[in-house]
Amino acid sequence: MHSKRFALRCAPVAFAAALLAASLGAAAAPAISRLTPPSNPVVAGAATLARFLPGQRFDLQVTAQPGGAGNTITQVEFKIDGASVATVSATGSNAANTSIVTTGLVAGLAANSAVVSVRGYSNLTPGLHTLTAIASESDGSTSTKAGNFEVVGITAQGRTAKNVIVMLGDGMGAAHRTAGRIMAKGYLQGKAQGRLAMDTFPFTGMVMTSSLDSIVTDSAPGMANYVNGNKANNNQEGVFPDDTTATFDNPRVEYLSEFLHRGKGTSLGIVTTADVFDATPAANAVHTSARGNGTGIVDQYLDDRGLTGLSVLLGGGRKWFIPKNAATPPFATPVVTGNGSARATASDYVLPSDIVAGWGAAPGAIDNNRDLIADFQGAGFTYAPDNATLQSSAAGANKLLGLFSMSNMNVSFDKINGRRAASTVVNDYGFPDQPMLDEMTDAALGVLSKNPNGFVLMVEGASIDKQAHLMDSDRWILEVLEFDRAVKKAQDFAAANPDTLVIVTADHECSGAAIIGASLLTNAALQAQTTGTHTTATQRDNVVGIYEAAKFPAYSIAADGYPVTTDVDNKMLIGYGANADRYETWLANAQPTQDSQQPYVGQPPLNAYPNLTTNPATTRNSATGLLITGQVSGTQAVHTATDIPLSAYGRGSSLFTGVMDNTDVFFKLGQAAVGGAK
């Protein structure tokens, strides 16, 4: 009874106090809208999201929004397990590896919001750790937000893997591997008559590939998740998302190459059939939220070689290395207008000082007229512009740069036909002497193996994905064969150097490819269908053999290891589950589809190549093929969320079995390289 009378007497007092506070402008606490590294706030009791190896570096970051109108964020304190690790002030002096940024922020934040960072943090203690941020604003109010991260322990289990080789078939799902095996080895009475090199690896598992912001990943996090152990948003490489608009300042996560170079003195090699700025190669060494920023990406390869140990870089992409003011194109043919340079201010980088201090990174510069090839050579790299130079110079090189095309390299279908004098495609592109992926892999291994501390090598068969996007079945199958020949080079190296671990995997599946059967027709009859009526009756029902009607397609393999032709009687037929509209003839396309990344794509002769546009009437095979309506809009097939196979060989290969997340692969690589494996 007394407590009730007391409450009644106090109510008017409390109400008056509330009115007074409202009239004076009550203090409203700041909001911490983003805490990095990200925790898992979605499912109660779920595992922590962010995980790191002991001593692996990463950035801490907070986005703090003032609660009161006109207020500002005055400081943010970061605590790990209750102990303060840094306090970042808007007015006082701060450590060199910290910053508080209030300009250049994304839309939608409150006025005077701040992005506050601590760069290059690491923790050696295995287990779950709490991360707490306390934000203060100018009226004295504070707010606290807590998250967590995990340091994954490494145990001593035997001899370590001195060398780690990641063979990455971009977009290569189980169907892509199977199609390559059918074409290269043949089937008879239900049994494969041989195995791909990747089929002979003793341990295989399945990998889940989703990114931080989607069930369907793109190649940037699809690769990065393997080599830094943390989920990233699509289009982002080696970073967590943030709330600034700048593309090279996101919170970083240390790559395997950086972690092992810092701890063991290893070298890094990157080999790709794509443009070297592309997502997969860059997601082994470059930190950016924009995978398309080619100028800054290729500059960072060289500028931060002291962090990664970069010693080999082979692929396409010469357009990024040529000064904007270069007088002439860097090759003799074809006759073209312009020097082909793609260097641009918009895609270049200058790093903020806290990243430079926290990571020991190069600051970068806006330098469109940089001669990056000359700068690589000045840093001790031997430069190979073509296969002849690669073969003659690689053995004597301690560091190696090879740029074999202006952008993406020509695919194996066209490179092989160029070597057989059966096609002018490589001549039309101006680069008739491009190496095959196994030749590039061999050269890279020769250089990297000179480091007694070991190396990390990533080799990408890039156009399995690119040609699957284009639904060019014959070309992507040959890309699988080219990739598998490179796998054999890695396998042979590991057999001769048993302290080597090799994994073969993909960043995602592309196109929902499926082997649906085989043609019911001879090649001559199938060719004849292209001149007739293009109906489901003539080009589907009359052509596609399923079940026992498919039988066993047979391909003749030439001495160079590739099919004499892919247009054989009763050829294997591929369908797609994630396709856009396409015109299908079931035959090999004589020319590849135009590649919009090529700087001379709008000039003869490349401008006459088949073009995928938004108008089906002008797309490839529109006059000769059957229109197959797709599941997605646009003109290209898309990635899928389908799990992909991973196969492992060598030291620590037994770790890679079962169903695993792509981030799990990083910790298995770390265990093999640092703790060892039986």
Side-chain angles (χ1 to χ4, degrees):
M1 185 68 176
H2 293 293
S3 61
K4 185 174 181 180
R5 286 200 303 270
F6 179 78
L8 289 172
R9 286 197 302 269
C10 289
V13 177
F15 180 68
L19 287 176
L20 179 61
S23 66
L24 296 176
I32 297 177
S33 55
R34 188 190 295 274
L35 179 63
T36 301
S39 304
N40 189 337
V42 179
V43 181
T48 180
L49 179 62
R51 297 182 296 164
F52 308 95
L53 288 172
Q56 183 185 2
R57 296 193 294 179
F58 57 97
D59 290 343
L60 310 176
Q61 191 175 87
V62 155
T63 298
Q65 303 187 53
N71 287 348
T72 59
I73 300 298
T74 56
Q75 73 170 35
V76 173
E77 182 181 14
F78 294 84
K79 293 183 176 182
I80 304 295
D81 300 328
S84 181
V85 295
T87 298
V88 187
S89 170
T91 57
S93 60
N94 296 311
N97 68 323
T98 66
S99 64
I100 182 163
V101 176
T102 57
T103 60
L105 306 186
V106 299
L109 299 177
N112 300 323
S113 291
V115 172
V116 186
S117 305
V118 179
R119 306 290 189 174
Y121 174 80
S122 65
N123 194 305
L124 289 167
T125 306
L128 191 65
H129 298 274
T130 59
L131 166 62
T132 306
I134 305 167
S136 304
E137 64 179 278
S138 51
D139 64 2
S141 60
T142 64
S143 181
T144 300
K145 187 167 186 175
N148 58 22
F149 63 88
E150 183 181 359
V151 175
V152 177
I154 291 177
T155 59
Q157 294 185 5
R159 297 188 62 181
T160 59
K162 184 175 78 169
N163 310 310
V164 175
I165 303 175
V166 178
M167 305 296 300
L168 199 291
D170 201 305
M172 185 180 70
H176 299 83
R177 288 176 62 156
T178 305
R181 185 191 312 119
I182 291 172
M183 183 174 286
K185 305 301 179 182
Y187 277 57
L188 187 63
Q189 295 179 317
K191 287 195 172 184
Q193 299 302 289
R195 299 287 191 272
L196 298 175
M198 67 183 87
D199 293 335
T200 66
F201 282 31
F203 297 96
T204 294
M206 295 297 291
V207 179
M208 301 175 283
T209 63
S210 297
S211 65
L212 183 61
D213 62 346
S214 175
I215 59 171
V216 182
T217 190
D218 82 329
S219 291
M223 178 73 243
N225 295 351
Y226 281 128
V227 288
N228 67 32
N230 282 273
K231 295 291 186 180
N233 280 0
N234 284 349
N235 301 305
Q236 301 191 354
E237 305 162 344
V239 296
F240 291 119
D242 73 357
D243 291 311
T244 72
T245 57
T247 56
F248 284 95
D249 73 340
N250 284 55
R252 291 186 169 197
V253 189
E254 192 168 43
Y255 284 120
L256 182 70
S257 61
E258 297 171 305
F259 180 74
L260 293 181
H261 180 69
R262 183 165 58 88
K264 300 177 68 174
T266 55
S267 298
L268 171 64
I270 295 173
V271 177
T272 180
T273 52
D275 189 315
V276 295
F277 99 99
D278 209 13
T280 300
N284 287 270
V286 176
H287 301 271
T288 179
S289 62
R291 56 173 284 182
N293 281 2
T295 308
I297 286 169
V298 296
D299 283 3
Q300 202 172 103
Y301 279 136
L302 180 65
D303 295 345
D304 278 347
R305 66 192 182 280
L307 298 179
T308 64
L310 182 72
S311 298
V312 173
L313 181 62
L314 303 177
R318 204 182 299 181
K319 66 183 183 181
W320 303 108
F321 292 70
I322 303 165
K324 201 69 175 176
N325 63 357
T328 58
F331 55 91
T333 57
V335 176
V336 293
T337 301
N339 63 21
S341 175
R343 294 188 66 84
T345 297
S347 65
D348 211 343
Y349 84 106
V350 175
L351 295 182
S353 60
D354 58 328
I355 293 181
V356 175
W359 288 83
I366 305 300
D367 45 10
N368 290 349
N369 290 320
R370 185 178 190 180
D371 186 340
L372 193 56
I373 293 175
D375 286 353
F376 265 89
Q377 290 173 313
F381 284 76
T382 298
Y383 174 55
D386 51 37
N387 188 42
T389 308
L390 180 70
Q391 299 307 320
S392 65
S393 62
N398 292 314
K399 296 179 181 179
L400 185 60
L401 171 69
L403 301 170
F404 307 110
S405 63
M406 291 299 284
S407 183
N408 301 310
M409 294 174 65
N410 288 117
V411 298
S412 55
F413 185 101
D414 299 311
K415 289 186 293 187
I416 285 295
N417 282 334
R419 292 187 179 192
R420 295 172 178 172
S423 170
T424 63
V425 170
V426 291
N427 294 321
D428 290 347
Y429 275 77
F431 293 90
D433 186 28
Q434 298 174 55
M436 306 301 292
L437 187 58
D438 57 325
E439 295 167 335
M440 297 161 68
T441 303
D442 211 21
L445 289 169
V447 173
L448 294 169
S449 60
K450 295 176 182 178
N451 185 350
N453 298 319
F455 61 82
V456 175
L457 170 63
M458 192 288 301
V459 178
E460 182 196 21
S463 286
I464 301 170
D465 174 75
K466 297 183 189 303
Q467 296 303 310
H469 273 297
L470 299 172
M471 299 163 286
D472 194 328
S473 303
D474 299 74
R475 280 183 169 79
W476 69 247
I477 297 174
L478 259 66
E479 288 299 286
V480 173
L481 302 189
E482 181 184 27
F483 177 68
D484 192 62
R485 290 171 67 84
V487 169
K488 184 63 167 64
K489 291 290 186 181
Q491 184 181 29
D492 289 347
F493 179 88
N497 299 271
D499 52 0
T500 301
L501 169 62
V502 185
I503 65 169
V504 178
T505 188
D507 46 357
H508 52 75
E509 196 277 342
C510 183
S511 77
I515 303 163
I516 55 177
S519 171
L520 296 169
L521 306 179
T522 65
N523 179 49
L526 190 59
Q527 298 279 354
Q529 294 290 335
T530 63
T531 61
T533 57
H534 310 304
T535 66
T536 55
T538 60
Q539 285 190 299
R540 187 192 68 184
D541 302 348
N542 190 44
V543 173
V544 181
I546 59 175
Y547 297 111
E548 63 274 8
K551 298 184 172 58
F552 301 108
Y555 297 83
S556 297
I557 304 300
D560 56 25
Y562 295 87
V564 174
T565 178
T566 59
D567 285 336
V568 298
D569 294 345
N570 312 111
K571 73 180 291 185
M572 174 173 48
L573 301 183
I574 306 297
Y576 299 94
N579 61 305
D581 295 351
R582 76 183 192 278
Y583 286 94
E584 185 61 80
T585 67
W586 310 108
L587 295 164
N589 298 299
Q591 292 179 319
T593 301
Q594 285 186 18
D595 178 0
S596 62
Q597 294 189 60
Q598 301 292 340
Y600 301 113
V601 69
Q603 300 183 37
L606 298 184
N607 62 348
Y609 275 47
N611 187 17
L612 289 183
T613 72
T614 56
N615 179 6
T618 62
T619 56
R620 182 187 64 209
N621 299 328
S622 60
T624 57
L626 172 68
L627 175 61
I628 297 179
T629 304
Q631 281 67 248
V632 301
S633 61
T635 60
Q636 295 195 21
V638 297
H639 299 174
T640 72
T642 305
D643 292 354
I644 51 90
L646 180 151
S647 299
Y649 179 93
R651 183 67 47 76
S653 56
S654 62
L655 297 170
F656 297 88
T657 57
V659 178
M660 65 197 94
D661 188 71
N662 52 13
T663 58
D664 295 333
V665 173
F666 171 77
F667 296 99
K668 295 176 187 294
L669 295 174
Q671 173 63 47
V674 178
K678 298 177 182 178

